[in-house]
Amino acid sequence: GGMRQISGYHKAKLGIIKSTQVQTITSSGVYRLGFSNQPGDDAKVLRVPTTGGLAYFLEARIPYGTFDNFPLDWYVVNGLLLYLNPENYWLNPTTYFQPPTQLINAGDPSVTGEVPNDPSPLPVGKDFVDLLRGIRIRMLSRDPLGADVEIDFH
């Protein structure tokens, strides 16, 4: 329980995460993602533009500080958080994917968050596939400094 840090998406909206730390992905490849709740100049959020004026925003976290002091086995610090937001991410509130209500897989539907309607993170080695927009996202690995994320446009 307790208070938590806001999402990387919201930190970018507020300027806490610099625009240079929001990496826009427009081609297939493997990308390095630092933890959104850690200091440093690495990419903290991956932004994947899609059709219809929307973009996916991806972030990873680790237990850190007073507000993100999650247990090591907690879902949010072992997966990749995905948000689908308006392309112009400086406006409008976040819309979370909440499996299994979506037609696409955003993680393990049996995993629930700290509060009702928390998003289910994408575990290492699992695919998130948006057939409508032709995007596949996979977190290949996590280590103490960040995560390697594969993004495929098809």
Side-chain angles (χ1 to χ4, degrees), residues 19-86:
S19 61
T20 57
Q21 295 174 297
V22 178
Q23 184 177 357
T24 299
I25 309 301
T26 58
S27 61
S28 298
V30 176
Y31 299 90
R32 184 71 178 164
L33 179 63
F35 295 115
S36 65
N37 60 350
Q38 290 284 288
D41 291 327
D42 50 349
K44 304 294 184 189
V45 175
L46 299 180
R47 181 176 146 265
V48 184
T50 71
T51 59
L54 301 173
Y56 286 106
F57 292 81
L58 290 58
E59 73 169 296
R61 295 184 182 193
I62 60 171
Y64 178 75
T66 302
F67 297 111
D68 270 1
N69 57 347
F70 299 101
L72 291 175
D73 63 347
W74 195 253
Y75 77 103
V76 74
V77 294
N78 289 295
L80 184 69
L81 296 171
L82 289 81
Y83 311 94
L84 184 63
N85 298 300

